Amino acid sequence: MSILVNKHTRVICQGITGKAGAFHTKGCKDYAPTMVGGVTPGKGGETVEGLPVFDTVAEAVEKTGANASMIFVPAAFTADAILEGVDAGLDVICAITEGVPVLDMVRVYDLVRRSNSVLIGPNCPGVITPGECKIGIMPGYIHRAGKVGIMSRSGTLTYEAVWQTTNLGLGQSTCVGLGGDPIVGTNFIDLFRHYQDDPQTEAILMIGEIGGTAEEEAAAYVKEHINKPVAAFIAGRTAPPGRRMGHAGAIISGGKGTAAEKDAALKDAGIEVADSPADMGQAVARAMARRRK
Amino acid sequence: MKIHEYQAKDLFRKAGVAVLKGRVAATPDEAAVAFSELGGPLAVVKSQIHAGGRGKGTTKENPQQRGVQLVRSADEAKKVAVNLLGKTLVTIQTGPEGKTVNRVFVEEGCKIARELYLGIVLDRAAAKPVLMVSSEGGVEIEKVAAETPQLIHKEHFDPHVGLLPYQVRKLCYKLGITGPSVANAERFMRALCRMYVQLDCSLVEINPLVVTEAGELVALDGKISFDDNALFRHKDLAELRDLSEEDPAEVRASNTGLSYVKLDGTIGCLVNGAGLAMSTMDIIKLHGGEPANFLDVGGGANEQQVTEAFRIILSDPQVKAVLVNIFGGIARCTTIASAIVAASKAVGFKVPLVVRLEGTEVEEGKKILRESGVKLITADDLTDAAKKVVAASN
């Protein structure tokens, strides 16, 4: 078991004929045989990496049985691509594209949330169930099938955590990069629900960062509803207020969204907090040894 | 992207949001002319910098001179402009170094009955923009939010539908705005919310928003920030950017596709990915050092970007050592290693360099560094890297 994606998932790439789309289609295809095609309007009938290209997502779904996609189209067209995926009834849509205008996400957010599709991102590395299915830009080889569900607002910091849990022999059930933007399709709480219900996931690692209140909300949820061991790390305790740290969402504004506030909420919920980014894997191990409830 | 008050008010006027008459001036003579053209018995001369607290702030050159001043003649407008233009204004938001005043805004006066606060921001939790108003205008709104949150009233709105009349009425009754002023508020607030959506704003703030003795709402101040990610569809707004308000190294970085924020420490950081870059700063601090910057070279970093990143980091005279922390994903360690070698030839490292590589093509990357003869300290993991760079900086 795992969450969101597995060896039965059939994935298409929206924007497959672009440079990034083609490159990562190859990466995902080389990792697991779950890539089945792609979409670029006006380029239907072509092939990329031996996979068929279609003009619309609906057609790709009809011809390949696809139920998931990864989006590499330019930022200006990402909201449209997301809704096209929703319209075609995809189960999982990963928007990798960064730089999407935030009001575009406001415009599509309610429609996506009311649909049966799960949107991951935008501005995210994607989703991977080690050994079964990779949708996104993460390096596959650092992962190892195992026990820990990892979710994060960051890309390379997730790789760091994955690598640590791999080296400790814990491995991962499914890793999800939620994305670094102020509004993303899926939040920590959504994934806590999935991880709680997944028998393969024995522990959960949440990697947050400064800005917003998503980690505080997640902590409150964990306190009430999660009985699996949970560890967490918050990036940005040295970030100055009012300055955007790369991610559009990573900013302390009006004195809100500091790492200290988030750490306090996490600890209050009984979550094992890593003080150092080098300690994320060990924090998971400590949480597992300690056991919740 | 932030803009100046006079630019914000121009956009307010175009959107149908009431503002007072005003003229921007870059010289004392222009300020005098502006006063005469406005034709009133008095006017207000306001420093134009990208920071708040101007009314209470003073210039470094003359601690008696505040950033905003009432004047009663063209001569006086000119005199105040002489005291402000080219001078450094220090406010609670600028930090002790202050900001240079390159322009003043000369604005007519009005008869104020009440001062309110109005702000529009994105509410991330609700995934919608929210209009906030408060009866406590003219003061620090963060303080109101912390001490008396019940005095801040909020209405979310959908970008497709906009703010609806009933929502304005709800806010008006809470603020004690009654009679003909309600219709006035409806025009004002709905136009502002429409503008927020049309121009892809990330923040609109009016503090104070005044109700005049005639019962009209007027934006006495104006602050707008735009969503940088949406500027591609607003070429005209992109032209309002004032580069003199920004850190030159940060401008240089953004032109190269790097994300860089200058900090006060002594350890330069070059990292791929925003989360890892923040964490690298954190772990340096944890081991007793102070980061000199945040720098994310991004996923697809090439040799030219990495070289420019080194140039920017090393242009900070405070930097005593540099830590390169790369977890190769899309970015390959070989690319970064070659770039370090090239950069060392082009830039020359006069301070110790600690390099930690992991991920895609790590062994080949380490080999490139070993065989290059570039003098550097290698680290095996994050903690090792942080300890070594802190030691090297001391």
Side-chain angles (χ1 to χ4, degrees), chain A residues 23-24 76 99-104 106-107 109-110 137 139 141-142 153-154 156-157 159-160 163 182-183 209-212 217 233 235-238 240 243-247 249-250 254 275-278, chain B residues 122 124-125 127-129 142 159-160 196-197 200-201 227-230 232-233 250 259 261-263 272-276 278-279 281-283 285-286 291 294 327-330 332 356 358-360 382-383:
Chain A
F23 179 77
H24 291 291
V100 179
V102 70
L103 282 174
D104 283 8
V106 172
R107 288 185 180 95
Y109 184 81
D110 283 346
I137 61 178
Y141 79 92
I142 60 173
R153 275 161 71 177
S154 150
T156 45
L157 186 57
Y159 309 162
E160 189 73 53
W163 189 232
I183 296 180
E209 61 188 31
I210 53 159
E217 287 148 25
F233 174 73
R237 53 194 70 206
T238 49
R243 306 302 310 273
R244 199 166 67 88
M245 295 286 120
H247 286 159
D275 289 326
S276 156
Chain B
L122 178 77
R124 291 164 64 161
K128 279 198 170 44
E142 286 84 4
H160 298 289
Y196 180 92
V197 172
D200 279 295
C201 300
D227 177 1
D228 293 335
N229 288 343
F232 70 86
R233 57 188 176 206
E250 290 178 18
S259 179
V261 178
K262 163 114 180 60
L263 303 168
N272 67 327
L276 192 59
M278 272 189 272
S279 306
M281 286 157 45
D282 296 347
I283 200 166
K285 177 107 174 169
L286 201 65
F294 166 95
F327 205 116
I330 326 172
R332 292 165 204 167
R356 181 265 181 152
E358 197 56 79
T360 310
L382 263 178
T383 305

Side-chain angles (χ1 to χ4, degrees), chain B residues 118-180:
Chain B
L118 183 152
I120 310 175
V121 292
L122 178 77
D123 180 344
R124 291 164 64 161
K128 279 198 170 44
V130 60
L131 171 71
M132 301 181 292
V133 295
S134 171
S135 53
E136 306 302 293
V139 297
E140 250 184 280
I141 197 66
E142 286 84 4
K143 214 174 147 198
V144 180
E147 290 167 12
T148 47
Q150 72 277 9
L151 295 178
I152 297 178
H153 313 293
K154 300 178 181 180
E155 287 290 330
H156 290 89
F157 61 95
D158 183 292
H160 298 289
V161 182
L163 187 76
L164 290 166
Y166 81 87
Q167 295 182 292
V168 181
R169 291 196 298 273
K170 275 167 78 181
L171 295 172
C172 281
Y173 297 132
K174 283 176 184 159
L175 290 170
I177 293 176
T178 52

Side-chain angles (χ1 to χ4, degrees), chain B residues 169-235:
Chain B
R169 291 196 298 273
K170 275 167 78 181
L171 295 172
C172 281
Y173 297 132
K174 283 176 184 159
L175 290 170
I177 293 176
T178 52
S181 293
V182 175
N184 203 295
E186 193 180 307
R187 260 197 314 278
F188 187 99
M189 292 183 194
R190 293 184 74 197
L192 202 66
C193 290
R194 216 159 29 234
M195 185 202 81
Y196 180 92
V197 172
Q198 274 168 0
L199 303 185
D200 279 295
C201 300
S202 56
L203 169 104
V204 172
E205 195 171 54
I206 301 174
N207 190 19
L209 162 67
V210 303
V211 184
T212 65
E213 286 181 359
E216 282 170 3
L217 272 71
V218 176
L220 209 61
D221 193 8
K223 191 166 154 188
I224 302 180
S225 299
F226 300 104
D227 177 1
D228 293 335
N229 288 343
L231 284 175
F232 70 86
R233 57 188 176 206
H234 301 287
K235 299 276 186 267

Side-chain angles (χ1 to χ4, degrees), chain B residues 356-375:
Chain B
R356 181 265 181 152
L357 296 178
E358 197 56 79
T360 310
E361 298 178 2
V362 59
E363 289 312 322
E364 298 91 324
K366 285 181 175 170
K367 188 162 169 251
I368 291 171
L369 290 178
R370 256 197 322 272
E371 292 173 355
S372 70
V374 177
K375 209 178 143 211

